[in-house]
Amino acid sequence: MVTKAEKQFAKNFNIFDLPDVPTGLPPHLELQRTRAVCKNDAPIHPTSVLYSGAYASMGVDNSVRLEDFSEDFKVDVISLTETDMVFDMIGVPAGIANAFRRILLAELPSMAIEKVLVANNTSVIQDEVLAHRLGLIPIAADPRLFEYLSENDQPNEKNTIVFKLHVKCPKGDPRRKVLTSELKWLPNGSELVKESGGSTTKPKTYTSFSHSQDSFPEFANNPITPSFQDILIAKLGPGQEIELEAHAVKGIGKTHAKWSPVATAWYRMLPEVILLKEFEGRHAEELVNVCPKKVFDIEDMGQGRKRATVARPRDCSLCRECIREGVEWAKHVDLRRVKNHFIFTIESTGSQPPDVLFNEAVKILEDKCERVISELS
């Protein structure tokens, strides 16, 4: 007959509490959970296992915990220039990395030319094509210093930037290139007259600036210009002329691609190249030569012995040349991707530095999370 003590023991019994029972996942399941293994034809186990009870039968808690995330999450900047930034984002699922990518492309604001007022255009480029080309020129202006211009707002010094373009190719001269360096910032607003007033009334222009923009400390010693001075706008033949005003406003890439402050933003999982055996002599040289990205290198072991080593795993593009069919060493090379380690690249258009863009993307994602939490609470 089962006693009360035996019933209590059976209720509280956990096989993983026994000293001779191994803890954690078996090696093959741990590899499946943390790595995407790349085979010759296709990768296997590419998706992350986010279900909290996926390994409950083995005594492993797979739930997402804030404490674990805070401990594991890390951002390491690999390189940073005025327009490019490469950094490692460690300890996050692919969904978080993709959220940053989408925010950078579609939700970060920037300044771009929205309205073009053409006074004269005798070039071969139609007005609408010329306006489209002007709209795609990146403007080096911090959008945080400006407000959005809605349909009911009047253009003023807080929501509009005005540029003037007036170029002419005299008759008898060779063809002339019109570059972005000839776009001149008008800090006092539009100079084109919209309505002519009387003798005592000031003519009304297309903007109503109450203060000159260069009187603001942000622009006093830092005039607003296109990000690059050598972008080709048009070519003029002898006798042709372009005279126009371009008005730039604040917007986001979700509305139009011209407001996207990044040329591109992308990420890839960290490559992991494992040699399952030592490659020496001829095999080592063949392995080094077959890789177009020069991932492998030769190590001199002394006494005439040389072996192959994995010298630059980050450069692996997963071309699979080292594991293609017919290669005798293919089964001894293992190509993997680390599922929670992403190499993130941001290429700015020049309107703002890439590190500033990433910081702004973090703020936007934080605001989204706070709105969700407030709606659920």
Side-chain angles (χ1 to χ4, degrees), residues 141-176:
D142 191 343
R144 293 171 295 183
L145 303 176
F146 294 90
E147 301 172 354
Y148 287 99
L149 176 65
S150 65
E151 295 181 359
N152 300 324
D153 292 335
Q154 291 297 322
N156 56 53
E157 67 276 8
K158 296 181 179 180
N159 57 31
T160 304
I161 302 173
V162 181
F163 293 97
K164 179 181 179 180
L165 179 64
H166 189 189
V167 288
K168 182 187 296 185
C169 182
K171 293 183 179 180
D173 286 5
R175 298 184 67 186
R176 176 179 177 179

Side-chain angles (χ1 to χ4, degrees), residues 23-144:
T23 59
L25 293 176
H28 71 285
L29 287 181
E30 182 64 21
L31 179 67
Q32 174 181 335
R33 188 180 72 88
T34 61
R35 301 291 189 271
V37 181
C38 305
K39 298 299 183 181
N40 187 47
D41 52 352
I44 59 175
H45 313 307
T47 57
S48 298
V49 181
L50 299 179
Y51 172 51
S52 60
Y55 309 106
S57 61
M58 299 180 184
V60 176
D61 185 5
N62 195 53
S63 59
V64 178
R65 298 178 181 274
L66 180 59
E67 297 80 7
D68 296 337
F69 176 81
S70 301
E71 182 179 347
D72 297 338
F73 179 67
K74 186 168 57 173
V75 174
D76 289 336
V77 178
I78 306 301
S79 64
L80 176 62
T81 65
E82 292 182 357
T83 57
D84 299 337
M85 179 181 181
V86 179
F87 60 93
D88 286 359
M89 188 180 296
I90 307 169
V92 296
I96 300 296
N98 194 49
F100 283 117
R101 183 190 68 85
R102 292 174 67 101
I103 291 173
L104 286 163
L105 288 171
E107 298 188 45
L108 283 185
S110 68
M111 305 299 292
I113 293 173
E114 169 69 0
K115 182 184 293 185
V116 178
L117 307 174
V118 180
N120 187 18
N121 178 21
T122 57
S123 70
V124 297
I125 303 180
Q126 301 96 326
D127 292 353
E128 59 272 21
V129 177
L130 182 60
H132 181 265
R133 291 180 65 84
L134 290 169
L136 295 176
I137 296 173
I139 306 299
D142 191 343
R144 293 171 295 183

Side-chain angles (χ1 to χ4, degrees), residues 308-329:
T309 60
V310 183
R312 292 166 288 274
R314 291 177 65 95
D315 295 341
C316 178
S317 63
L318 223 64
C319 66
R320 297 180 173 87
E321 283 295 315
C322 57
I323 60 171
R324 71 180 188 273
E325 293 183 6
V327 179
E328 53 185 310
W329 65 73

